[in-house]
Amino acid sequence: MPKNMLKDTHSPYDPDNIFAKILREEIPCRKIYEDDYALCFHDVTPQAPVHALVIPKGAYRSFSDFTANASDEKICGFFRAVKQSVLLLNLEKEGYRLLANHGEHAGQEVPHFHVHICGGGSLGRLISENKTHK
Ligand code: DGP
């Protein structure tokens, strides 16, 4: 971890979160891609024509936790897996959006770091009109 990076001081990782159970194959998922670093599967409540999630194979609560505490190899491997998933989903040409929620204000529901991949049609603005802050 770089010396000047702030430490993430949130609560400990919950090994019983739903994505940990998916990683342990205790509950099923519709798998798209898997390698040593990550697993990609379809979101159970899609909010776009194509909506997938990529999760790292490790106990990380959020983007902040992952980037502070995972090795460079694991971070690099994870983001390469995101790219591989984009290719498998055929989203490279027409475009896609990556999104990661961290914490309460972002509405993070599942406390295991995940990147949403959305695409398959026009996605509109990132934040709805009535929520913009000037
Ligand atoms: P977030 O709000 O960023 O924590 O998004 C969590 C996403 O996880 C949300 O879009 C719904 C999805 N999700 C929740 N439970 C399950 C599940 O059991 N299986 C799958 N495939 N997706 C889930």
Side-chain angles (χ1 to χ4, degrees), residues 16-31 39 41 44 55 110:
D16 288 327
N17 78 76
I18 200 92
F19 292 169
K21 290 180 180 176
I22 286 176
L23 275 178
R24 293 195 297 266
E25 300 185 346
E26 291 168 9
I27 62 167
C29 70
R30 287 173 56 216
K31 191 192 293 186
L39 173 68
F41 51 93
V44 79
I55 63 177
V110 182

Side-chain angles (χ1 to χ4, degrees), residues 22-95:
I22 286 176
L23 275 178
R24 293 195 297 266
E25 300 185 346
E26 291 168 9
I27 62 167
C29 70
R30 287 173 56 216
K31 191 192 293 186
I32 296 159
Y33 177 73
E34 181 172 16
D35 63 20
D36 289 347
Y37 302 102
L39 173 68
C40 176
F41 51 93
H42 290 280
D43 194 294
V44 79
T45 52
Q47 294 181 49
V50 176
H51 185 174
L53 302 166
V54 192
I55 63 177
K57 291 188 169 177
Y60 305 101
R61 294 180 310 283
S62 67
F63 175 79
S64 293
D65 185 19
F66 184 60
T67 49
N69 297 312
S71 67
D72 290 357
E73 182 193 336
K74 285 183 176 166
I75 293 170
C76 185
F78 174 78
F79 284 103
R80 290 235 160 88
V82 173
K83 168 67 190 286
Q84 200 57 32
S85 304
V86 164
L87 291 174
L88 288 169
L89 289 163
N90 278 320
L91 297 176
E92 182 93 349
K93 184 163 175 273
E94 305 291 344

Side-chain angles (χ1 to χ4, degrees), residues 7-22:
K7 278 232 167 83
D8 182 15
T9 54
H10 289 81
S11 53
Y13 180 80
D14 170 14
D16 288 327
N17 78 76
I18 200 92
F19 292 169
K21 290 180 180 176
I22 286 176

